[in-house]
Amino acid sequence: MTTETAVPETRTPLRPAAPRGRARSRRQRAVMLLFIAPALVVYVLMVIAPSLQSVQLSLTNWDGINPAYDYVGLRNYQDILTSDRFWNATTNTLILGLGSAAIINVIALAVALMLDRLHRAQGFFRTIVYLPALVSGFIAATIWKYMLNFNFGAVNTVLRDLGFEGAAMDWLGDNDIVVGVLLFIICFTLGGNTTLIYLANLQSVPQELVEAAKIDGASGRQVFRYVTWPMLAGAVTVNMTLAMIAGWTIFDQVMVLTAGGPGFISETMAFFIYKVGFGEYRAGYGSAAAIVLFAVVMATTVLANRYMRSREVQG
């Protein structure tokens, strides 16, 4: 009786990718770079290069016109950080940026929830909600400027006709309320996109989860808290980031409605940079303020995104 010896099976080692495949991949990357190159060149010349040059100019006393200037080191930054006018602009920017981001998101989410429950004419109401976003900030601010005029504005005219003479006030000239009026106008004009983003995410929530929660006895509030709200985490991150960036860089509304007044009361950081750089011919000082604004926007955006991303993971 003979026994057969088992011969171990030999496997052919995996061969590396063919050189032809690698060459094809390199050609594809080269073609993609060729398509990207024109836009990249324009972006570098129009955005990156001027941004880097502003860092250099922030260390000078350049007036924006005379080609001659001297380097003054960090003097511009020292003057900025010790300026009451700058800190007032910073405070206004924080109020308008964080305030508008919070208010817009709360109202937009509430409107999106109502639109999501509509079974008829949803497209019509969705269009109505989005219409303010189609109007440029400059035009919207101009309309509001006429409406809030103390003498002939529609708001004060209606109040006087209704017998509320004491309620008519100089909405854009009162130091105590002008920033609040700007906040209201900004929230009114920037909420359309936010509402549609929330509505799109609400309509993508799996209805099976909602129905299962209702069958288990969850109330409408519990369904929103434990099912719908976690599913909206990504939309909240996007909307809060966009709203904060828009709030930090508010310029059109301030320029048209108040021009930073009365005095410097309603200046924001963006308007402050424009005013000192182009209106007061202190381009070096304005460049330093722009660098500070960039640092503030980057820091707050990164911190807010980190917090909201962690919330998404937990959700």
Side-chain angles (χ1 to χ4, degrees):
M1 183 176 182
T2 59
T3 59
E4 295 181 358
T5 304
V7 179
E9 181 181 357
T10 58
R11 296 183 178 180
T12 304
L14 296 176
R15 295 181 179 179
R20 183 179 301 176
R22 289 197 298 267
R24 182 182 303 171
S25 178
R26 285 196 296 267
R27 286 197 299 269
Q28 291 176 347
R29 288 197 295 268
V31 171
M32 288 188 292
L33 288 176
L34 287 176
F35 279 106
I36 296 173
L40 182 61
V41 170
V42 173
Y43 183 77
V44 169
L45 293 177
M46 302 300 293
V47 178
I48 301 299
S51 299
L52 294 177
Q53 188 178 20
S54 66
V55 177
Q56 174 198 358
L57 294 176
S58 69
L59 304 175
T60 70
N61 61 355
W62 187 44
D63 60 5
I65 298 176
N66 193 336
Y69 54 81
D70 298 321
Y71 282 90
V72 295
L74 299 177
R75 186 188 306 170
N76 289 328
Y77 293 95
Q78 294 173 352
D79 293 342
I80 287 173
L81 297 179
T82 57
S83 170
D84 293 337
R85 180 182 173 186
F86 170 78
W87 287 113
N88 174 73
T90 303
T91 302
N92 291 339
T93 304
L94 290 174
I95 293 173
L96 297 177
L98 294 178
S100 63
I103 294 172
I104 287 173
N105 276 271
V106 170
I107 296 177
L109 180 57
V111 174
L113 287 170
M114 290 188 290
L115 290 176
D116 188 51
R117 295 180 181 180
L118 288 177
H119 299 291
R120 294 182 179 179
Q122 187 183 96
F124 170 76
F125 288 105
R126 184 163 42 189
T127 303
I128 295 299
V129 170
Y130 186 69
L131 278 178
L134 298 177
V135 182
S136 70
F138 181 87
I139 296 175
T142 303
I143 295 172
W144 278 105
K145 183 176 182 179
Y146 283 103
M147 291 179 62
L148 296 175
N149 185 275
F150 178 75
N151 295 315
F152 57 83
V155 175
N156 284 343
T157 300
V158 171
L159 290 174
R160 294 188 184 104
D161 292 343
L162 294 176
F164 300 103
E165 185 71 28
M169 61 182 67
D170 190 1
W171 302 97
L172 301 176
D174 191 329
N175 294 355
D176 297 327
I177 65 172
V178 63
V179 176
V181 173
L182 288 174
L183 179 60
F184 169 79
I185 295 174
I186 291 166
C187 293
F188 180 83
T189 56
L190 296 181
N193 292 323
T194 308
T195 302
L196 291 188
I197 292 175
Y198 278 131
L199 182 60
N201 278 264
L202 283 171
Q203 293 179 343
S204 65
V205 174
Q207 291 302 308
E208 296 82 3
L209 298 178
V210 176
E211 294 298 331
K214 291 180 179 179
I215 292 173
D216 290 340
S219 62
R221 183 174 300 179
Q222 290 173 329
V223 170
F224 174 77
R225 179 179 179 182
Y226 296 107
V227 179
T228 306
W229 179 246
M231 300 291 290
L232 293 176
V236 173
T237 301
V238 172
N239 283 331
M240 284 295 295
T241 302
L242 294 177
M244 283 193 299
I245 293 175
W248 293 151
T249 56
I250 290 171
F251 176 82
D252 295 353
Q253 293 85 349
V254 177
M255 179 69 180
V256 175
L257 292 169
T258 65
F264 305 124
I265 294 296
S266 62
E267 282 187 341
T268 60
M269 290 182 69
F271 187 81
F272 172 80
I273 294 168
Y274 161 78
K275 192 69 175 179
V276 299
F278 297 97
E280 301 175 7
Y281 302 103
R282 291 191 290 169
Y285 187 82
S287 298
I291 299 300
V292 174
L293 174 60
F294 173 78
V296 171
V297 172
M298 286 296 297
T300 53
T301 303
V302 168
L303 292 176
N305 267 278
R306 182 173 298 178
Y307 168 74
M308 288 183 285
R309 291 293 182 187
S310 66
R311 176 187 168 278
E312 289 183 38
V313 173
Q314 293 173 2

